[in-house]
Amino acid sequence: MNDSGPLSSFAGALKLRWQNYNGLSRKEKMVWWGDFLVRNAMYIIIVMVVIYVQIYSMQNNFSNAFLSFKSIMDILKRAASALFLALGVGGIIVLQGTDLSAGRIMGITACVCASLLQMPLEQYRAKMFPALDTPPIVAVIFLSLAIGAVFGIFNGFCTAKFKLHPFIVTLATQLILYGLVLMYVQMGTNGGGPISGLTDQYKEVVKYTLNFGGTAIPLYVLYAIAAAAIMWFIWNKTTLGKNMYAVGANPEAANVSGISVMKTTILVFMMAGILYGFSGFIEAARIGSNSPSTGVNAELDAIAACVIGGVSFTGGTGKISGIITGVILLQIISVALQWLSVSSDMQYIIKGIIILVAVAIDMRKYLAKK
């Protein structure tokens, strides 16, 4: 009988850890537990919140418990729509940077897509482009990707060429984009109003549901899965992915070893921009009514999800699986706060605290390694 399978390997590793733990003194065990609690504090807090909300929902006789199948599917759908931004921001954090323009890039591409794919009725299309026929959806997708790529390249070029911190560059881009989208929604006779009345074909491309075992899955969930698979391949199986980790860990050493830091930085930012652009295409149809406020603060959720998922601001560390986990956990927290009737104002405060705690834990891990 073959005992070298993955289960036996896992059992062997677990047994070895248990033996090492038993070999520790009482004081060393206390230190071990202290480190364990600090390293996993965020996950422990989330589990406690989930348990509390589940009990709360059962005691108050809600039609669906928090951990019901319907609620879990709702969380996964929300996570799928948020995953595109997190995948883009994650790569930039690996480079020891961040991106404050992610939500604005998503917002402006959402408004562009919505304005081009409105129903050809007088009350809709005549407001912005009365003389323009509805373009093919594929053309609009490529346009949204191109817009995202252009701003991504701009961010990456300014960061790498002028040695500016991504925080400053993307903050400037965020403000530029906000001004541009404010002007864009004023075009024609729209007067800055919401852009709605999207074509049925556009909405079906994004929100059409497929039935898997009695469960309706929107197409954008499948797009998110495909995006995660593509990014996993790029991060783990391509030269660009290896260079990204090398530049994030030590830019000087990467440069000495022959890696183009500038090229790598620009490409990572460009990939992020493409993801933001596609996210804008998805969000425009998903929410149905778009305005300059579309995408506001979305980058904060993306950053928080990445940090929760183990993407380190110290650079060179992070996994796609961690980002996916972080996005799901953050959506669990958001939904749990809504179930507890926590105000939206307080939710911002809680998310800010989550980012602080997650980064503090990340820095503690970094210092412990050094």
Side-chain angles (χ1 to χ4, degrees):
M1 183 176 180
N2 186 8
D3 293 328
S4 60
L7 287 178
S8 60
S9 299
F10 175 76
L14 195 62
K15 182 178 180 181
L16 180 61
R17 289 191 177 187
W18 178 251
Q19 290 173 346
N20 292 336
Y21 175 78
N22 284 333
L24 299 176
S25 65
R26 182 171 180 176
K27 184 177 180 181
E28 289 173 333
K29 287 181 179 179
M30 292 178 64
V31 172
W32 186 91
W33 277 107
D35 290 339
F36 175 83
L37 292 174
V38 170
R39 288 196 310 270
N40 299 281
M42 188 61 63
Y43 300 106
I44 294 170
I45 292 171
I46 292 172
V47 170
M48 292 173 64
V49 169
V50 168
I51 293 172
Y52 175 78
V53 177
Q54 173 69 6
I55 295 172
Y56 176 82
S57 64
M58 294 174 66
Q59 288 179 341
N60 287 273
N61 297 318
F62 289 168
S63 57
N64 290 291
F66 179 65
L67 293 180
S68 67
F69 181 77
K70 181 179 179 180
S71 296
I72 292 174
M73 288 307 301
D74 178 58
I75 291 170
L76 292 178
K77 290 175 185 177
R78 290 171 55 129
S81 67
L83 183 60
F84 298 98
L85 256 63
L87 290 171
V89 171
I92 296 171
I93 294 177
V94 170
L95 291 179
Q96 299 186 39
T98 189
D99 193 343
L100 299 181
S101 66
R104 291 298 184 189
I105 295 176
M106 182 185 79
I108 195 169
T109 52
C111 288
V112 170
C113 292
S115 66
L116 294 174
L117 294 172
Q118 285 183 294
M119 289 188 288
L121 300 174
E122 184 177 352
Q123 62 267 36
Y124 294 121
R125 291 288 309 292
K127 290 184 177 180
M128 297 190 72
F129 303 109
L132 181 68
D133 292 331
T134 304
I137 288 182
V138 173
V140 176
I141 292 175
F142 279 111
L143 177 61
S144 65
L145 299 183
I147 292 172
V150 167
F151 284 106
I153 292 171
F154 175 79
N155 286 335
F157 178 80
C158 292
T159 298
K161 180 66 175 179
F162 305 117
K163 309 299 181 184
L164 300 175
H165 196 283
F167 179 93
I168 300 300
V169 174
T170 57
L171 175 61
T173 304
Q174 180 193 76
L175 296 174
I176 293 170
L177 284 165
Y178 187 47
L180 289 175
V181 75
L182 286 173
M183 291 188 290
Y184 185 80
V185 297
Q186 296 286 339
M187 293 179 66
T189 60
N190 191 56
I195 307 173
S196 56
L198 308 182
T199 64
D200 292 335
Q201 185 183 14
Y202 181 21
K203 289 185 285 187
E204 286 183 1
V205 166
V206 174
K207 298 195 294 183
Y208 181 80
T209 57
L210 301 175
N211 194 295
F212 291 96
T215 302
I217 304 295
L219 284 178
Y220 67 81
V221 174
L222 302 183
Y223 300 154
I225 294 172
I230 292 171
M231 294 307 294
W232 180 90
F233 179 82
I234 292 174
W235 281 30
N236 295 280
K237 301 297 180 180
T238 67
T239 301
L240 174 60
K242 295 175 183 177
N243 291 348
M244 178 185 73
Y245 282 110
V247 171
N250 192 324
E252 290 78 13
N255 188 51
V256 170
S257 64
I259 296 173
S260 174
V261 175
M262 182 172 180
K263 180 181 177 181
T264 301
T265 302
I266 292 174
L267 287 175
V268 171
F269 270 94
M270 185 187 73
M271 284 195 306
I274 291 172
L275 286 164
Y276 306 155
F278 191 71
S279 177
F281 174 81
I282 296 295
E283 284 300 292
R286 196 180 73 86
I287 63 180
S289 180
N290 299 270
S291 69
S293 64
T294 301
V296 171
N297 293 327
E299 65 277 352
L300 302 183
D301 284 350
I303 294 169
C306 290
V307 177
I308 292 173
V311 184
S312 176
F313 272 104
T314 58
T317 303
K319 296 181 179 179
I320 295 297
S321 59
I323 294 175
I324 296 171
T325 302
V327 169
I328 293 173
L329 291 177
L330 189 63
Q331 292 304 320
I332 289 175
I333 294 172
S334 297
V335 173
L337 294 175
Q338 292 176 7
W339 276 64
L340 295 175
S341 300
V342 176
S343 69
S344 58
D345 299 336
M346 182 57 68
Q347 288 184 36
Y348 281 116
I349 295 174
I350 293 172
K351 287 179 181 179
I353 294 172
I354 288 171
I355 293 175
L356 280 175
V357 172
V359 173
I361 293 172
D362 173 56
M363 288 305 300
R364 190 181 186 281
K365 292 178 183 178
Y366 173 73
L367 293 174
K369 288 181 180 178
K370 292 189 71 176

